[in-house]
Amino acid sequence: MAFEGLSERLQSAISQVGKGGRITEADLKQMMREIRLALLEADVNFKVVKTFVKRVNDRALGSDVLESLSPAQQVVKIVDEELTALMGGEHVPLNYSKQPPTIIMMVGLQGAGKTTTVGKLANYVSNDGHKKPLLVAADVYRPAAIDQLQTIGQQLDFEVFQLGTQANPVDIAKQAVEQARRNGNEVVIIDTAGRLHVNEELMEELRQIKQAVQPHEILLTVDAMTGQDAVNVAQAFNDSLDITGVVITKLDGDTRGGAALSIRSITDKPIKFTGQGEKLDDLDVFYPDRMSSRILG
Ligand code: GDP
């Protein structure tokens, strides 16, 4: 389960202080040390950990935690609020255009779960009342990508726009949007190419697609299991493309949670969804407060 290790360690760090009623500054210090280790072990970015621990510590010292008869409860409240803030505070919903079609560009490295997420998102927007999402196969480099998207389209009974592997991805995206306008598709989701690593050629192509179709959302998929690599990837994509949000995939397999906890403060872009499995309905809308409650048990 996601955050398993972190959950356990944070809960145990906090419960240590609650044992005998009041606590001392030394108890608090010890607890902060354990919270710090728990976060580092969860692969949270070290700068993020440093700031987080300082905030929790300052708030605990500034409040009546030391005088309180239930210090653990008060610490839990502070940690809960700070974890929520760390993951962005408020939930940021998908930005639908007032004038359809809403254009969503999906970007990410190969294997991150981009194509699967295109399907999941199409399923989500359709259930959310936005009719006939059009899936667009603009990854012309990976041989099986178009077939994969078509299979997903068939499963969900949504149309897939494709022009084969010889066409230019920018033209594919433009023509897909034109078709969506003609046919009344309310959302267009473009599956762009990935690479194994971030590279300038890829970014240039993505910038051209962005320029051509002016998407309402550029969502980056990153694989939670890659931890701090996911954070670095997010930073690179954001620097090049000014993304509008992140989808953290494979959270079901990530026991640590470092990416989910670091990405918002490093990129300042909201996590909008999390992938929780391979099936097309395994997509959760991301709520920072709910995630924090889940971590703290
Ligand atoms: P792409 O190369 O980025 O388009 O990645 P794919 O969509 O082909 O996904 C790569 C692999 O990750 C596939 O086996 C997917 O089933 C799997 N996958 C995608 N999202 C999730 C998720 O949220 N959880 C799990 N467990 N697997 C996922």
Side-chain angles (χ1 to χ4, degrees), residues 109-117 120 142 148 221 249-252 275-278 282:
L109 292 185
Q110 207 166 307
K114 184 168 30 62
T115 305
T116 311
T117 306
K120 289 177 175 179
R142 189 161 63 93
Q148 191 186 342
T221 52
T249 64
K250 310 186 197 182
L251 206 63
D252 50 305
Q276 303 281 353
E278 294 192 87
D282 289 331

PDB file of all heavy atoms in Angstrom, residues 109-117 120 142 148 221 249-252 275-278 282, ligand 1:
ATOM      1  N   LEU A 109       7.572  10.512 -19.406  1.00  0.00           N
ATOM      2  CA  LEU A 109       8.571   9.585 -19.943  1.00  0.00           C
ATOM      3  C   LEU A 109       7.939   8.237 -20.256  1.00  0.00           C
ATOM      4  O   LEU A 109       6.898   7.876 -19.692  1.00  0.00           O
ATOM      5  CB  LEU A 109       9.712   9.384 -18.933  1.00  0.00           C
ATOM      6  CG  LEU A 109      10.617  10.587 -18.671  1.00  0.00           C
ATOM      7  CD1 LEU A 109      11.762  10.176 -17.758  1.00  0.00           C
ATOM      8  CD2 LEU A 109      11.162  11.167 -19.979  1.00  0.00           C
ATOM      9  N   GLN A 110       8.598   7.507 -21.143  1.00  0.00           N
ATOM     10  CA  GLN A 110       8.130   6.183 -21.515  1.00  0.00           C
ATOM     11  C   GLN A 110       8.025   5.288 -20.280  1.00  0.00           C
ATOM     12  O   GLN A 110       8.929   5.277 -19.458  1.00  0.00           O
ATOM     13  CB  GLN A 110       9.141   5.589 -22.493  1.00  0.00           C
ATOM     14  CG  GLN A 110       8.577   4.582 -23.441  1.00  0.00           C
ATOM     15  CD  GLN A 110       9.560   4.330 -24.559  1.00  0.00           C
ATOM     16  OE1 GLN A 110      10.028   5.265 -25.228  1.00  0.00           O
ATOM     17  NE2 GLN A 110       9.918   3.088 -24.759  1.00  0.00           N
ATOM     18  N   GLY A 111       6.931   4.588 -20.194  1.00  0.00           N
ATOM     19  CA  GLY A 111       6.762   3.642 -19.093  1.00  0.00           C
ATOM     20  C   GLY A 111       6.151   4.235 -17.850  1.00  0.00           C
ATOM     21  O   GLY A 111       5.829   3.519 -16.894  1.00  0.00           O
ATOM     22  N   ALA A 112       5.973   5.552 -17.851  1.00  0.00           N
ATOM     23  CA  ALA A 112       5.417   6.202 -16.650  1.00  0.00           C
ATOM     24  C   ALA A 112       3.932   5.886 -16.478  1.00  0.00           C
ATOM     25  O   ALA A 112       3.386   6.037 -15.391  1.00  0.00           O
ATOM     26  CB  ALA A 112       5.616   7.712 -16.732  1.00  0.00           C
ATOM     27  N   GLY A 113       3.305   5.459 -17.570  1.00  0.00           N
ATOM     28  CA  GLY A 113       1.877   5.151 -17.484  1.00  0.00           C
ATOM     29  C   GLY A 113       1.037   6.167 -18.230  1.00  0.00           C
ATOM     30  O   GLY A 113      -0.156   6.308 -17.962  1.00  0.00           O
ATOM     31  N   LYS A 114       1.646   6.848 -19.172  1.00  0.00           N
ATOM     32  CA  LYS A 114       0.956   7.939 -19.877  1.00  0.00           C
ATOM     33  C   LYS A 114      -0.245   7.431 -20.678  1.00  0.00           C
ATOM     34  O   LYS A 114      -1.348   7.956 -20.518  1.00  0.00           O
ATOM     35  CB  LYS A 114       1.963   8.647 -20.785  1.00  0.00           C
ATOM     36  CG  LYS A 114       1.423   9.840 -21.503  1.00  0.00           C
ATOM     37  CD  LYS A 114       2.510  10.673 -22.156  1.00  0.00           C
ATOM     38  CE  LYS A 114       3.733   9.880 -22.587  1.00  0.00           C
ATOM     39  NZ  LYS A 114       3.428   8.854 -23.607  1.00  0.00           N
ATOM     40  N   THR A 115      -0.009   6.430 -21.518  1.00  0.00           N
ATOM     41  CA  THR A 115      -1.095   5.953 -22.380  1.00  0.00           C
ATOM     42  C   THR A 115      -2.243   5.369 -21.551  1.00  0.00           C
ATOM     43  O   THR A 115      -3.419   5.634 -21.827  1.00  0.00           O
ATOM     44  CB  THR A 115      -0.546   4.907 -23.383  1.00  0.00           C
ATOM     45  OG1 THR A 115       0.543   5.518 -24.087  1.00  0.00           O
ATOM     46  CG2 THR A 115      -1.597   4.480 -24.373  1.00  0.00           C
ATOM     47  N   THR A 116      -1.906   4.608 -20.535  1.00  0.00           N
ATOM     48  CA  THR A 116      -2.940   4.069 -19.646  1.00  0.00           C
ATOM     49  C   THR A 116      -3.727   5.207 -19.011  1.00  0.00           C
ATOM     50  O   THR A 116      -4.956   5.155 -18.914  1.00  0.00           O
ATOM     51  CB  THR A 116      -2.277   3.237 -18.512  1.00  0.00           C
ATOM     52  OG1 THR A 116      -1.349   2.344 -19.101  1.00  0.00           O
ATOM     53  CG2 THR A 116      -3.299   2.472 -17.711  1.00  0.00           C
ATOM     54  N   THR A 117      -3.014   6.260 -18.610  1.00  0.00           N
ATOM     55  CA  THR A 117      -3.669   7.384 -17.949  1.00  0.00           C
ATOM     56  C   THR A 117      -4.578   8.153 -18.906  1.00  0.00           C
ATOM     57  O   THR A 117      -5.609   8.681 -18.487  1.00  0.00           O
ATOM     58  CB  THR A 117      -2.614   8.320 -17.305  1.00  0.00           C
ATOM     59  OG1 THR A 117      -1.781   7.525 -16.457  1.00  0.00           O
ATOM     60  CG2 THR A 117      -3.261   9.402 -16.465  1.00  0.00           C
ATOM     61  N   LYS A 120      -7.686   6.257 -18.637  1.00  0.00           N
ATOM     62  CA  LYS A 120      -8.313   6.478 -17.327  1.00  0.00           C
ATOM     63  C   LYS A 120      -8.972   7.853 -17.268  1.00  0.00           C
ATOM     64  O   LYS A 120     -10.063   8.025 -16.731  1.00  0.00           O
ATOM     65  CB  LYS A 120      -7.257   6.397 -16.212  1.00  0.00           C
ATOM     66  CG  LYS A 120      -6.714   4.997 -15.952  1.00  0.00           C
ATOM     67  CD  LYS A 120      -5.628   5.106 -14.875  1.00  0.00           C
ATOM     68  CE  LYS A 120      -5.105   3.749 -14.450  1.00  0.00           C
ATOM     69  NZ  LYS A 120      -4.036   3.861 -13.436  1.00  0.00           N
ATOM     70  N   ARG A 142       6.972   5.135 -30.648  1.00  0.00           N
ATOM     71  CA  ARG A 142       6.912   3.807 -30.029  1.00  0.00           C
ATOM     72  C   ARG A 142       5.945   2.966 -30.862  1.00  0.00           C
ATOM     73  O   ARG A 142       4.766   3.309 -30.989  1.00  0.00           O
ATOM     74  CB  ARG A 142       6.432   3.921 -28.588  1.00  0.00           C
ATOM     75  CG  ARG A 142       6.552   2.619 -27.811  1.00  0.00           C
ATOM     76  CD  ARG A 142       6.522   2.870 -26.309  1.00  0.00           C
ATOM     77  NE  ARG A 142       5.270   3.443 -25.842  1.00  0.00           N
ATOM     78  CZ  ARG A 142       4.240   2.739 -25.392  1.00  0.00           C
ATOM     79  NH1 ARG A 142       4.311   1.422 -25.367  1.00  0.00           N
ATOM     80  NH2 ARG A 142       3.153   3.339 -24.973  1.00  0.00           N
ATOM     81  N   GLN A 148      -1.958   0.341 -28.733  1.00  0.00           N
ATOM     82  CA  GLN A 148      -2.311   0.330 -27.305  1.00  0.00           C
ATOM     83  C   GLN A 148      -3.465   1.300 -27.038  1.00  0.00           C
ATOM     84  O   GLN A 148      -4.423   0.971 -26.344  1.00  0.00           O
ATOM     85  CB  GLN A 148      -1.087   0.733 -26.482  1.00  0.00           C
ATOM     86  CG  GLN A 148      -1.232   0.505 -24.997  1.00  0.00           C
ATOM     87  CD  GLN A 148      -0.036   1.076 -24.227  1.00  0.00           C
ATOM     88  OE1 GLN A 148       1.024   1.338 -24.811  1.00  0.00           O
ATOM     89  NE2 GLN A 148      -0.199   1.264 -22.938  1.00  0.00           N
ATOM     90  N   THR A 221       2.566  12.753 -16.426  1.00  0.00           N
ATOM     91  CA  THR A 221       2.492  11.509 -15.651  1.00  0.00           C
ATOM     92  C   THR A 221       3.888  11.148 -15.167  1.00  0.00           C
ATOM     93  O   THR A 221       4.837  11.124 -15.951  1.00  0.00           O
ATOM     94  CB  THR A 221       1.951  10.326 -16.491  1.00  0.00           C
ATOM     95  OG1 THR A 221       2.709  10.220 -17.690  1.00  0.00           O
ATOM     96  CG2 THR A 221       0.501  10.507 -16.833  1.00  0.00           C
ATOM     97  N   THR A 249       1.382   8.189 -11.083  1.00  0.00           N
ATOM     98  CA  THR A 249       0.900   6.835 -11.361  1.00  0.00           C
ATOM     99  C   THR A 249       1.567   5.827 -10.425  1.00  0.00           C
ATOM    100  O   THR A 249       2.562   6.137  -9.768  1.00  0.00           O
ATOM    101  CB  THR A 249       1.241   6.429 -12.810  1.00  0.00           C
ATOM    102  OG1 THR A 249       2.672   6.382 -12.928  1.00  0.00           O
ATOM    103  CG2 THR A 249       0.681   7.418 -13.812  1.00  0.00           C
ATOM    104  N   LYS A 250       0.988   4.660 -10.402  1.00  0.00           N
ATOM    105  CA  LYS A 250       1.540   3.496  -9.673  1.00  0.00           C
ATOM    106  C   LYS A 250       1.699   3.763  -8.178  1.00  0.00           C
ATOM    107  O   LYS A 250       2.604   3.221  -7.536  1.00  0.00           O
ATOM    108  CB  LYS A 250       2.875   3.056 -10.297  1.00  0.00           C
ATOM    109  CG  LYS A 250       2.768   2.879 -11.810  1.00  0.00           C
ATOM    110  CD  LYS A 250       4.010   2.304 -12.442  1.00  0.00           C
ATOM    111  CE  LYS A 250       3.982   2.552 -13.945  1.00  0.00           C
ATOM    112  NZ  LYS A 250       5.111   2.009 -14.661  1.00  0.00           N
ATOM    113  N   LEU A 251       0.836   4.600  -7.653  1.00  0.00           N
ATOM    114  CA  LEU A 251       0.885   4.858  -6.215  1.00  0.00           C
ATOM    115  C   LEU A 251       0.515   3.584  -5.450  1.00  0.00           C
ATOM    116  O   LEU A 251       0.900   3.417  -4.296  1.00  0.00           O
ATOM    117  CB  LEU A 251      -0.077   6.002  -5.857  1.00  0.00           C
ATOM    118  CG  LEU A 251       0.296   6.783  -4.610  1.00  0.00           C
ATOM    119  CD1 LEU A 251       1.639   7.482  -4.777  1.00  0.00           C
ATOM    120  CD2 LEU A 251      -0.760   7.815  -4.253  1.00  0.00           C
ATOM    121  N   ASP A 252      -0.208   2.711  -6.117  1.00  0.00           N
ATOM    122  CA  ASP A 252      -0.571   1.426  -5.498  1.00  0.00           C
ATOM    123  C   ASP A 252       0.657   0.589  -5.172  1.00  0.00           C
ATOM    124  O   ASP A 252       0.629  -0.221  -4.249  1.00  0.00           O
ATOM    125  CB  ASP A 252      -1.515   0.628  -6.420  1.00  0.00           C
ATOM    126  CG  ASP A 252      -0.995   0.521  -7.857  1.00  0.00           C
ATOM    127  OD1 ASP A 252      -0.716   1.570  -8.458  1.00  0.00           O
ATOM    128  OD2 ASP A 252      -0.862  -0.612  -8.353  1.00  0.00           O
ATOM    129  N   GLY A 275      -2.721   7.437  -9.984  1.00  0.00           N
ATOM    130  CA  GLY A 275      -3.035   6.134 -10.568  1.00  0.00           C
ATOM    131  C   GLY A 275      -2.891   5.089  -9.484  1.00  0.00           C
ATOM    132  O   GLY A 275      -1.902   5.060  -8.753  1.00  0.00           O
ATOM    133  N   GLN A 276      -3.911   4.238  -9.367  1.00  0.00           N
ATOM    134  CA  GLN A 276      -3.925   3.283  -8.257  1.00  0.00           C
ATOM    135  C   GLN A 276      -3.971   1.840  -8.745  1.00  0.00           C
ATOM    136  O   GLN A 276      -4.321   0.941  -7.969  1.00  0.00           O
ATOM    137  CB  GLN A 276      -5.143   3.549  -7.356  1.00  0.00           C
ATOM    138  CG  GLN A 276      -5.206   4.959  -6.806  1.00  0.00           C
ATOM    139  CD  GLN A 276      -4.269   5.166  -5.617  1.00  0.00           C
ATOM    140  OE1 GLN A 276      -3.657   4.220  -5.125  1.00  0.00           O
ATOM    141  NE2 GLN A 276      -4.154   6.396  -5.157  1.00  0.00           N
ATOM    142  N   GLY A 277      -3.646   1.630 -10.018  1.00  0.00           N
ATOM    143  CA  GLY A 277      -3.667   0.258 -10.531  1.00  0.00           C
ATOM    144  C   GLY A 277      -3.682   0.272 -12.048  1.00  0.00           C
ATOM    145  O   GLY A 277      -3.657   1.336 -12.662  1.00  0.00           O
ATOM    146  N   GLU A 278      -3.723  -0.906 -12.651  1.00  0.00           N
ATOM    147  CA  GLU A 278      -3.609  -0.984 -14.109  1.00  0.00           C
ATOM    148  C   GLU A 278      -4.946  -0.845 -14.825  1.00  0.00           C
ATOM    149  O   GLU A 278      -4.989  -0.589 -16.017  1.00  0.00           O
ATOM    150  CB  GLU A 278      -2.953  -2.315 -14.494  1.00  0.00           C
ATOM    151  CG  GLU A 278      -1.508  -2.402 -14.011  1.00  0.00           C
ATOM    152  CD  GLU A 278      -0.777  -3.563 -14.642  1.00  0.00           C
ATOM    153  OE1 GLU A 278      -0.217  -3.387 -15.737  1.00  0.00           O
ATOM    154  OE2 GLU A 278      -0.789  -4.656 -14.045  1.00  0.00           O
ATOM    155  N   ASP A 282      -8.903   2.770 -12.317  1.00  0.00           N
ATOM    156  CA  ASP A 282      -7.993   2.946 -11.174  1.00  0.00           C
ATOM    157  C   ASP A 282      -7.357   4.338 -11.164  1.00  0.00           C
ATOM    158  O   ASP A 282      -6.131   4.475 -11.162  1.00  0.00           O
ATOM    159  CB  ASP A 282      -6.881   1.885 -11.195  1.00  0.00           C
ATOM    160  CG  ASP A 282      -7.400   0.498 -10.868  1.00  0.00           C
ATOM    161  OD1 ASP A 282      -8.387   0.398 -10.120  1.00  0.00           O
ATOM    162  OD2 ASP A 282      -6.818  -0.481 -11.360  1.00  0.00           O
TER     163      ASP A 282
HETATM  164  P1  GDP B   1       3.631   4.928 -21.185  1.00  0.00           P
HETATM  165  O1  GDP B   1       4.850   4.374 -21.850  1.00  0.00           O
HETATM  166  O2  GDP B   1       3.966   6.082 -20.304  1.00  0.00           O
HETATM  167  O3  GDP B   1       2.519   5.248 -22.124  1.00  0.00           O
HETATM  168  O4  GDP B   1       3.127   3.812 -20.165  1.00  0.00           O
HETATM  169  P2  GDP B   1       1.939   2.763 -20.244  1.00  0.00           P
HETATM  170  O5  GDP B   1       0.631   3.445 -20.157  1.00  0.00           O
HETATM  171  O6  GDP B   1       2.172   1.849 -21.381  1.00  0.00           O
HETATM  172  O7  GDP B   1       2.147   2.012 -18.855  1.00  0.00           O
HETATM  173  C1  GDP B   1       3.314   1.286 -18.533  1.00  0.00           C
HETATM  174  C2  GDP B   1       2.936   0.175 -17.556  1.00  0.00           C
HETATM  175  O8  GDP B   1       2.528   0.729 -16.318  1.00  0.00           O
HETATM  176  C3  GDP B   1       1.777  -0.686 -18.034  1.00  0.00           C
HETATM  177  O9  GDP B   1       2.049  -2.029 -17.714  1.00  0.00           O
HETATM  178  C4  GDP B   1       0.587  -0.165 -17.227  1.00  0.00           C
HETATM  179  O10 GDP B   1      -0.401  -1.140 -17.020  1.00  0.00           O
HETATM  180  C5  GDP B   1       1.272   0.206 -15.931  1.00  0.00           C
HETATM  181  N1  GDP B   1       0.551   1.236 -15.165  1.00  0.00           N
HETATM  182  C6  GDP B   1       0.139   2.450 -15.567  1.00  0.00           C
HETATM  183  N2  GDP B   1      -0.448   3.131 -14.561  1.00  0.00           N
HETATM  184  C7  GDP B   1      -0.419   2.322 -13.484  1.00  0.00           C
HETATM  185  C8  GDP B   1      -0.858   2.458 -12.109  1.00  0.00           C
HETATM  186  O11 GDP B   1      -1.395   3.479 -11.668  1.00  0.00           O
HETATM  187  N3  GDP B   1      -0.614   1.397 -11.285  1.00  0.00           N
HETATM  188  C9  GDP B   1      -0.018   0.247 -11.734  1.00  0.00           C
HETATM  189  N4  GDP B   1       0.185  -0.726 -10.850  1.00  0.00           N
HETATM  190  N5  GDP B   1       0.425   0.108 -12.992  1.00  0.00           N
HETATM  191  C10 GDP B   1       0.220   1.117 -13.865  1.00  0.00           C
END
